Amino acid sequence: MTQLQQYKNNRARMLISCPDRPGIVAAVSQFLYEHGANIIQSDQYTMDPEGGMFFIRFEFELNNMDKELPVLQEDFTRVADRFDMKWHTFRASRKKRLAIFVSKEDHCLLELLWQWKAGDLDADIAMVISNHNDMREVVESFGIPYHHVPVTPETKAEVEKKHLEIVGDKADLIVLARYMQIIPPKFIEHFPNRIINIHHSFLPAFIGGSPYAQAYKRGVKIIGATAHYVTEELDGGPIIEQDVQRVSHRDNVENLKRIGRTIERIVLARAVKWHIEDRVIVHQNKTVVFN
């Protein structure tokens, strides 16, 4: 076993959200200490000390993880009930499995593949699903299964069923890497706060077709990208990450597209990385991101 594997085997993370009140951090820290856990990192945030929500992320080491973590999880319910907590624990050694959806644009997909190949994206890419065959050769060169599922207005119901069959229980996170189809509600229900999308975010915003051409005609000075969880409200889910870059009158439509692609791939990769490292807590339609 390598040193990195040993490091991961002994690491776990705990995400907590609860109404704010005195003693939360002390109670959790004492509990972890009493169960033989050594806290390596702790991040916390309160929306309002007087009646707001409180959020914590602990990363800790625990020897004999296979045996001790289930005991810790069972015993922690007493602390959680006392403070009305919503909480989850995750083992660092268990890589999250990704199913990536893509259409014809390759920049976001390639960024994820490069980071995964380099070991910077600590996940398993279980599959890539596309409504086109354009990316097959690239994806299969990485040894990743590729599923071509064409979509037409008449076959949307069949496609939804096919997607659910293909993904099944093989993925923990769905990543829409410029997948240019609307995700149906039933599919979203299967993966609540586990579908991440990326799209442009111009200031001002432009909807509909040819957003870069619209932006050019308006002479925008800032363009960017937004990564968010997918909900039934189109592009209205909790935002995980955003970034922007200044542009000027010297940038034509092609320049804007090039700049936009760069921002999109970086922002999506960040959001995916933070999710798989258990750094995101969703509260209502917002996120707390401990990065």
Side-chain angles (χ1 to χ4, degrees), residues 125-223:
I125 300 180
M127 67 190 74
V128 171
I129 299 173
S130 179
N131 55 325
H132 299 281
N133 245 327
D134 300 53
M135 300 294 109
R136 178 182 293 277
E137 185 175 350
V138 172
V139 170
E140 291 183 344
S141 72
F142 284 84
I144 298 169
Y146 188 90
H147 300 275
H148 176 216
V149 184
V151 182
T152 67
E154 296 75 28
T155 62
K156 286 185 179 292
E158 297 174 23
V159 167
E160 176 186 359
K161 183 178 178 181
K162 184 69 172 177
H163 283 165
L164 289 172
E165 290 175 354
I166 294 172
V167 176
D169 60 357
K170 302 181 184 70
D172 304 297
L173 178 67
I174 308 297
V175 182
L176 306 182
R178 297 297 290 162
Y179 182 66
M180 307 306 290
Q181 297 289 327
I182 295 176
I183 304 301
K186 185 179 292 186
F187 192 89
I188 296 172
E189 288 175 8
H190 278 76
F191 301 95
N193 296 323
R194 291 189 292 140
I195 306 176
I196 297 178
N197 188 31
I198 184 73
H199 62 77
H200 69 79
S201 48
F202 291 105
L203 299 175
F206 300 106
I207 60 175
S210 305
Y212 287 96
Q214 294 182 60
Y216 175 74
K217 290 178 181 178
R218 284 288 304 275
V220 299
K221 299 299 183 280
I222 296 176
I223 65 173

Side-chain angles (χ1 to χ4, degrees), residues 40-274:
I40 303 301
Q41 187 175 15
S42 173
D43 295 284
Q44 63 192 60
Y45 167 70
T46 181
M47 296 179 71
D48 186 345
E50 299 294 333
M53 289 295 293
F54 187 69
F55 306 90
I56 324 172
R57 178 186 186 271
F58 284 108
E59 187 160 342
F60 58 89
E61 287 187 342
L62 184 67
N63 291 326
N64 198 6
M65 183 73 74
D66 290 337
K67 178 182 177 182
E68 297 299 332
L69 186 61
V71 175
L72 183 150
Q73 291 169 322
E74 182 177 352
D75 291 349
F76 190 72
T77 56
R78 294 192 291 272
V79 178
D81 291 344
R82 176 182 165 195
F83 290 95
D84 194 21
M85 294 175 173
K86 293 181 180 178
W87 62 283
H88 301 278
T89 55
F90 306 91
R91 292 190 61 167
S93 61
R94 188 196 181 283
K95 292 185 178 183
K96 290 181 174 55
R97 300 162 300 170
L98 311 185
I100 303 175
F101 283 60
V102 66
S103 289
K104 288 189 173 183
E105 295 188 60
D106 63 0
H107 55 287
C108 288
L109 170 65
L110 290 176
E111 182 69 26
L112 295 172
L113 293 175
W114 291 332
Q115 291 203 20
W116 171 76
K117 186 70 173 178
D120 297 329
L121 198 65
D122 191 25
D124 288 328
I125 300 180
M127 67 190 74
V128 171
I129 299 173
S130 179
N131 55 325
H132 299 281
N133 245 327
D134 300 53
M135 300 294 109
R136 178 182 293 277
E137 185 175 350
V138 172
V139 170
E140 291 183 344
S141 72
F142 284 84
I144 298 169
Y146 188 90
H147 300 275
H148 176 216
V149 184
V151 182
T152 67
E154 296 75 28
T155 62
K156 286 185 179 292
E158 297 174 23
V159 167
E160 176 186 359
K161 183 178 178 181
K162 184 69 172 177
H163 283 165
L164 289 172
E165 290 175 354
I166 294 172
V167 176
D169 60 357
K170 302 181 184 70
D172 304 297
L173 178 67
I174 308 297
V175 182
L176 306 182
R178 297 297 290 162
Y179 182 66
M180 307 306 290
Q181 297 289 327
I182 295 176
I183 304 301
K186 185 179 292 186
F187 192 89
I188 296 172
E189 288 175 8
H190 278 76
F191 301 95
N193 296 323
R194 291 189 292 140
I195 306 176
I196 297 178
N197 188 31
I198 184 73
H199 62 77
H200 69 79
S201 48
F202 291 105
L203 299 175
F206 300 106
I207 60 175
S210 305
Y212 287 96
Q214 294 182 60
Y216 175 74
K217 290 178 181 178
R218 284 288 304 275
V220 299
K221 299 299 183 280
I222 296 176
I223 65 173
T226 294
H228 63 92
Y229 289 116
V230 174
T231 62
E232 290 189 32
E233 180 184 356
L234 184 62
D235 292 340
I239 293 172
I240 307 168
E241 171 63 342
Q242 294 178 295
D243 206 348
V244 297
Q245 182 170 324
R246 296 198 65 85
V247 294
S248 77
H249 58 276
R250 295 182 176 87
D251 293 301
N252 59 28
V253 174
E254 289 306 311
N255 283 342
L256 296 182
K257 289 181 179 180
R258 176 181 52 79
I259 295 167
R261 286 194 295 266
T262 299
I263 304 172
E264 286 173 4
R265 62 184 179 82
I266 292 172
V267 168
L268 179 62
R270 284 180 191 156
V272 172
K273 182 177 176 65
W274 293 339

